[in-house]
Amino acid sequence: MKYLLSVFFLTCSAFASAAGDSNFSLGGGQDHAGIGAKYSINRGKDKYFGSLGWKGYSDEAGSVAGYGLGWERLVASDSHSLGVFLGLVEVNYRRDEAARYNGIALLYNYYFSGFSESSFVLGAAVHAGTRSGDEPYFDEHTTGASMKFAYQW
């Protein structure tokens, strides 16, 4: 996990110097890969992002890191966006096993001070995913919904 965070922040730094309009945010939600960080590059009404986070923990199975890439599009005023997230969408635990589900999430975000401005962000997501391992005691597919709360700089 420490290595993933280092690579993520170095990549963000490189993109920040190359992109004139970018945001960094911390929060909890699907597009933050659980509880984590999201780095976005803004191009007009579009926002392209990558995220790393903490998806969950159990004493027997340990921690699971979340990850993903996505895109958002401003759809109304300067505050409402819709988007897509691809990555780890859910983790389920049973005893000493953790089933990881990779898939897609559809996003809605509301930016209180504007799409590209420093702002609190509320959102929601619906997701669908497929189990990535052979864990026999878990469903092969999953669906769900989640809320989001974050702050972007």
Side-chain angles (χ1 to χ4, degrees), residues 69-126:
L69 297 172
W71 164 77
E72 285 180 68
R73 175 90 175 161
L74 193 59
V75 293
S77 68
D78 192 33
S79 298
H80 302 274
S81 73
L82 295 175
V84 176
F85 172 86
L86 300 171
L88 185 66
V89 294
E90 191 173 317
V91 177
N92 290 330
Y93 292 95
R94 180 174 288 152
R95 297 188 186 127
D96 62 344
E97 293 184 1
R100 293 159 175 84
Y101 293 87
N102 290 300
I104 187 169
L106 302 177
L107 312 169
Y108 165 77
N109 286 318
Y110 177 78
Y111 294 85
F112 283 85
S113 298
F115 189 60
S116 300
E117 304 301 320
S118 291
S119 176
F120 282 103
V121 186
L122 288 178
V126 293

